[in-house]
Amino acid sequence: MAIKVRVLASLTRLVAVLLVPIAVCRAPGRARFLACQWALGLRFPAEDLRGLAPETLAAFMHARTEAFWRDGQLIGLTSGYRDAAEQYRLFTEEVWRTGSVSAARRRVLPPEESSHVRGLALDVRPTEGARWLERHGGRYGLYRVYDNEWWHFEYRTVEPVRLPHPDARVR
């Protein structure tokens, strides 16, 4: 599996390099940015960036472009914006799975408390990409906010205090 991941990452980088000349024709001052987004779109075709708050989307796009070109690190989006109905469904499934609201809240918040519903939260992959974002994401306002969720980042204008899990959020 690790070999497959490395091969896909290498192919994605190669595709991005090959796309730069085309991107220069489309957006001369932003060619590397554009080529990166195209290549990552091919690598992570199920990504859905719709619904993210404009500031969250801009921060994510710029952070992953830097990760890609500077450090060769790919960062994909597993989940971003969720409407209230989807967040409610995830929460109720977790309540059913764990057997209690309290246990469920350690992993999934109800819609009225979720940053996903406001378009401010990102669940990213792979783990190496999340590690990169944890080290460098603050430059873009993207912070890991829960110890138990390596994949979950939120856009914030001020670095938040890291909490052990979502239910530890100060209410």
Side-chain angles (χ1 to χ4, degrees), residues 113-130:
E113 297 176 50
S114 173
S115 292
H116 282 285
V117 175
R118 295 191 316 271
L120 300 175
L122 306 163
D123 292 345
V124 301
R125 64 182 170 161
T127 55
E128 296 81 14

Side-chain angles (χ1 to χ4, degrees), residues 15-145:
V15 167
V17 169
L18 294 172
L19 287 171
V20 168
I22 298 166
V24 166
C25 295
R26 180 110 187 262
R30 297 173 26 102
R32 286 170 43 105
F33 176 85
L34 194 55
C36 174
Q37 303 317 312
W38 288 342
L40 290 173
L42 293 170
R43 172 62 185 92
F44 302 114
E47 274 188 342
D48 186 357
L49 302 172
R50 294 172 301 170
L52 289 174
E55 60 274 17
T56 305
L57 177 60
F60 178 64
M61 301 294 267
H62 289 288
R64 78 185 197 159
T65 299
E66 179 184 338
F68 186 85
W69 290 114
R70 192 183 83 185
D71 297 321
Q73 182 58 61
L74 279 61
I75 303 174
L77 183 70
T78 302
S79 180
Y81 169 77
R82 298 182 199 134
D83 66 26
E86 174 67 7
Q87 188 68 28
Y88 180 76
R89 183 188 66 74
L90 292 171
F91 179 68
T92 56
E93 283 178 1
E94 191 67 12
V95 169
W96 182 84
R97 189 185 74 73
T98 62
S100 78
V101 168
S102 178
R105 290 177 57 85
R106 294 177 70 84
R107 297 270 313 213
V108 181
L109 291 173
E112 60 275 6
E113 297 176 50
S114 173
S115 292
H116 282 285
V117 175
R118 295 191 316 271
L120 300 175
L122 306 163
D123 292 345
V124 301
R125 64 182 170 161
T127 55
E128 296 81 14
R131 279 191 219 115
W132 188 96
L133 203 52
E134 188 168 357
R135 283 191 308 275
H136 305 287
R139 289 192 290 242
Y140 301 93
L142 298 173
Y143 299 96
R144 182 173 162 205
V145 293

